[in-house]
Amino acid sequence: MLIKKPEVIKSSEITDQSVYLKRRQFIRDSGLLGVGLVGSMVGLPWMKRSWAEAPAGARFGELVSSPFSSDEKLTDYQDATGYNNFYEFGTDKRDPEKHAREFAPRPWSVVVDGACEKPGSYDLEDFLRPHALEERIYRLRCVEAWSMVIPWVGFPLGAALKRFQPTSKAKYVAFETLYDPERMPGQQRRVLEWPYREGLRMDEAMHPLTILAVGMYGAELPNQNGAPLRLVVPWKYGFKSIKSIVRISFTEEQPASTWNQLQPAEYGFYSNVNPQVDHPRWSQKKERRIGDWLKQETLMFNGYGDQVASLYRGMDLKKYF
Ligand SMILES: Nc1nc2c(c(=O)[nH]1)N[C@H]1C(S)=C(S)[C@@H](COP(=O)(O)O)O[C@H]1N2
Ligand SMILES: [Mo]
C-alpha cells in the first residue's frame, strides 16, 4: 500500500483451476452441501466449499442471510486468511497470518465517547448482546487493485451507534484499533502513526450496508482479519474497514484517518471505490479478484452505487476522493 504498485501474485499462490473444481465436486459428492446453511445460500455451491474449509471451532449457529449479499463466488478461505493487510502484524501480506497467531482477542472492551448521551467502556459481550448476527457476502476492494468476496458475520453499525444516543453535535464517527506494541509487534516500528484510525461521516456510519463484523465464513474472525471486532464498509477501499476496534468516538469535526494522515495526496478521507479517480501512482479502473487470472472492471462504489450514490449527491468526487 505504501510504496509499491499493485503486486502481481505468483501463480503458485493461486488455486489451480482443476484442483479447485475437483474439490468442489468432492464436496458435492460427499454430501457436505447442506452444512450449516440457511435460506438463499443453499443455492451456492461455492459457499459450501468455503464453509467446509473454515475452522471447526468457534462457529456461529444459524445465521440469517442478508438481501444485501453478493452472489459471486467466494474467495478461498485460505486466501482470505493468508493474504492480509494488517500492519500491526507486519507489512507483508503473509505476515498477519504468521504473526497474529498468538494474539488473544479476549478479554476485550470498547470505549464509546464523544458527542453521545451514553458514553462508557463496554465489555465486548455487553457491546454485542443486543444484536442479532447475520451473514453478509460483500466484495472487499483494496486500494491496491485486488479484491475478495467474503461472507462476513456481523450486524449493522447503525444499530450499535443508536444505543449510545449520539447528540446533534455528532457529525462523524471515529474508530481506533488497539495500541499495544507487545501484543501487536508491528507497532514497534513506526511505519504508520499508531493507533490505526478511521472515520466515517454520520450518514455513512448509519447506512444499512455498513456493518461491524465479528466473524467470517460462519466462524469467529481470525486474528489476522481483525478479531474480535472490525468495521466493513463495502463501497469504500479496504483500508476504511478498520480492524480490532477498541474505541468509537462521535465527533463534530472530520476525524483523522491513518492513510490520509500518511499520504493525503494519495488516500482521501472518503476513499469511495471509484474507477474514474486513479490513485496518483496506478489505475483504479480494474481489479484482480484473488483466485482469478483475469482482471475485471472495478465498479463505481464497488457495485453498491444504487444504495449509496445518493450520499454523495452534489459532491465533486475528484476533490473529495
Ligand atoms: N487496524 C488495521 N486495520 C486495517 C488495516 C491495518 O493495517 N490495520 N489494513 C486495512 C486494509 S489496507 C485492508 S485492504 C483491509 C484488509 O482486510 P482483510 O485482511 O480482512 O482482507 O483491512 C484494513 N484494516
Ligand atoms: Mo487495502
Side-chain angles (χ1 to χ4, degrees), residues 1 141-143 196-200 204 233-241 254 257-261 263-275 277 279 284 300-302 312 315 317-321:
M1 186 140 177
R141 206 287 196 181
C142 181
V143 74
Y196 194 98
R197 289 171 222 269
E198 261 308 338
L200 295 172
E204 300 175 321
V233 195
W235 71 94
K236 293 180 180 279
Y237 289 119
F239 63 88
K240 294 296 282 187
S241 293
Q254 181 177 298
S257 59
T258 293
W259 291 101
N260 178 245
Q261 268 177 317
Q263 294 280 16
E266 301 195 357
Y267 311 107
F269 174 77
Y270 284 93
S271 297
N272 293 318
V273 173
N274 188 343
V277 178
H279 183 278
Q284 295 292 16
M300 188 65 201
F301 297 116
N302 203 21
Y312 309 103
M315 277 174 76
L317 297 179
K318 286 205 161 70
K319 184 172 173 216
Y320 298 102
F321 61 97

Side-chain angles (χ1 to χ4, degrees), residues 161 166-167 170-173 200-207 250:
L161 296 183
T167 67
K171 302 280 193 282
Y172 296 88
V173 186
L200 295 172
R201 212 172 57 189
M202 200 57 163
D203 56 348
E204 300 175 321
M206 300 306 289
H207 192 281
F250 296 98

Side-chain angles (χ1 to χ4, degrees), residues 1 80 83-88 90 140-144 146 148 150 152 177-178 184 192 194 196-197 216 224-226 230 237-244 259:
M1 186 140 177
Y83 188 84
N84 302 100
N85 273 330
F86 198 174
Y87 278 32
E88 284 81 345
L140 181 139
R141 206 287 196 181
C142 181
V143 74
E144 297 164 292
W146 49 267
M148 300 194 188
I150 294 179
W152 301 104
T177 294
L178 176 69
M184 294 183 148
L192 295 177
W194 311 111
Y196 194 98
R197 289 171 222 269
M216 55 192 243
Q224 62 268 36
N225 294 89
R230 70 172 287 171
Y237 289 119
F239 63 88
K240 294 296 282 187
S241 293
I242 182 173
K243 296 175 172 179
S244 305
W259 291 101

Side-chain angles (χ1 to χ4, degrees), residues 70-304:
S70 161
D71 59 3
E72 291 157 293
K73 114 178 133 67
L74 299 182
T75 297
D76 263 9
Y77 183 80
Q78 300 311 331
D79 288 331
T81 58
Y83 188 84
N84 302 100
N85 273 330
F86 198 174
Y87 278 32
E88 284 81 345
F89 296 103
T91 53
D92 190 274
K93 301 277 182 294
R94 306 271 155 204
D95 285 341
E97 181 182 33
K98 278 184 274 170
H99 302 310
R101 229 166 255 163
E102 308 284 290
F103 183 73
R106 295 288 192 304
W108 196 267
S109 53
V110 180
V111 170
V112 180
D113 60 9
C116 66
E117 304 289 353
K118 299 230 155 90
S121 177
Y122 297 83
D123 214 49
L124 183 67
E125 278 62 42
D126 294 334
F127 185 90
L128 299 180
R129 192 164 293 120
H131 304 286
L133 299 180
E134 56 181 274
E135 177 158 81
R136 299 268 187 118
I137 302 173
Y138 280 165
R139 286 174 288 273
L140 181 139
R141 206 287 196 181
C142 181
V143 74
E144 297 164 292
W146 49 267
S147 60
M148 300 194 188
V149 181
I150 294 179
W152 301 104
V153 178
F155 55 92
L157 171 67
L161 296 183
K162 273 187 202 139
R163 275 174 72 203
F164 308 109
Q165 300 174 13
T167 67
S168 59
K169 285 202 162 141
K171 302 280 193 282
Y172 296 88
V173 186
F175 303 86
E176 268 178 38
T177 294
L178 176 69
Y179 177 68
D180 187 340
E182 302 230 318
R183 292 164 71 199
M184 294 183 148
Q187 291 175 334
Q188 289 162 22
R189 290 171 54 216
R190 296 218 36 190
V191 286
L192 295 177
E193 230 178 90
W194 311 111
Y196 194 98
R197 289 171 222 269
E198 261 308 338
L200 295 172
R201 212 172 57 189
M202 200 57 163
D203 56 348
E204 300 175 321
M206 300 306 289
H207 192 281
L209 279 176
T210 305
I211 58 169
L212 284 171
V214 293
M216 55 192 243
Y217 298 84
E220 276 184 356
L221 278 178
N223 291 337
Q224 62 268 36
N225 294 89
L229 184 71
R230 70 172 287 171
L231 187 66
V232 182
V233 195
W235 71 94
K236 293 180 180 279
Y237 289 119
F239 63 88
K240 294 296 282 187
S241 293
I242 182 173
K243 296 175 172 179
S244 305
I245 296 167
V246 292
R247 181 187 292 269
I248 300 178
S249 311
F250 296 98
T251 69
E252 193 163 11
E253 306 297 328
Q254 181 177 298
S257 59
T258 293
W259 291 101
N260 178 245
Q261 268 177 317
L262 186 80
Q263 294 280 16
E266 301 195 357
Y267 311 107
F269 174 77
Y270 284 93
S271 297
N272 293 318
V273 173
N274 188 343
Q276 268 117 55
V277 178
D278 288 337
H279 183 278
R281 290 182 283 135
W282 61 78
S283 167
Q284 295 292 16
K285 287 194 171 46
K286 292 191 174 198
E287 68 200 59
R288 215 179 61 74
R289 188 61 54 82
I290 301 294
D292 285 357
W293 292 99
L294 297 175
K295 287 190 178 169
Q296 60 190 92
E297 307 271 309
T298 285
L299 302 173
M300 188 65 201
F301 297 116
N302 203 21
Y304 301 95

